[in-house]
Amino acid sequence: SAHEELIAYSRALEDRLSMAREVLGDLLPHAASGDYERFLADATVFMEFLGNIIVGWLWLDIGRVSMDALKAESTEFPGEFYREKVQTMKFYFTYELPKTSGLAEVLKNREGLTLKTPENLFG
């Protein structure tokens, strides 16, 4: 949030971190009660969810460093290099980070579909 141009992205990441806390708040009681099967049932979904948030944080950091370099008129790399980094960060926040909402919905679902499939369902 040190750069006006990045404040909206910083807030978006803060929202995703709050979402991660909420998801963990739903999952951790399963582990605490010893229900490890339920706790780990959607581990792959959780890794995708958290991974997308971490990559968002990394892109925001790249955006911040790039904005610092542009404002300082750094000559280490051409200005276009830094502008492309900021543009890629914006792309990630627009097209990839929002996917975490759907993943969070799956993780918070209490139906447990991956745990209780009827034996005769698939023949």
Side-chain angles (χ1 to χ4, degrees):
S1 60
H3 297 282
E4 183 74 27
E5 301 90 339
L6 302 180
I7 289 175
Y9 302 99
S10 177
R11 287 187 183 139
L13 186 61
E14 286 175 11
D15 290 345
R16 293 312 190 260
L17 291 172
S18 292
M19 186 185 299
R21 284 185 207 95
E22 189 177 316
V23 166
L24 283 170
D26 280 6
L27 293 176
L28 288 175
H30 296 295
S33 70
D35 187 0
Y36 301 113
E37 185 177 22
R38 175 64 184 99
F39 177 65
L40 297 171
D42 293 314
T44 302
V45 177
F46 181 79
M47 294 302 292
E48 183 179 357
F49 168 75
L50 194 58
N52 283 350
I53 293 170
I54 291 169
V55 171
W57 171 74
L58 293 170
W59 270 116
L60 185 59
D61 193 44
I62 290 168
R64 179 192 55 81
V65 169
S66 296
M67 292 301 296
D68 288 345
L70 285 168
K71 290 193 179 198
E73 298 181 1
S74 173
T75 58
E76 184 176 0
F77 296 102
E80 192 61 29
F81 172 83
Y82 298 113
R83 284 188 288 280
E84 288 168 356
K85 294 295 181 192
V86 172
Q87 185 69 15
T88 303
M89 179 217 68
K90 289 178 179 182
F91 177 90
Y92 188 85
F93 272 75
T94 302
Y95 289 95
E96 298 300 321
L97 194 62
K99 294 175 183 178
T100 57
S101 295
L103 296 169
E105 186 176 325
V106 169
L107 290 165
K108 291 168 48 176
N109 185 304
R110 301 202 184 262
E111 195 168 350
L113 288 174
T114 57
L115 296 173
K116 51 184 178 180
T117 302
E119 289 182 30
N120 300 340
L121 183 62
F122 298 110

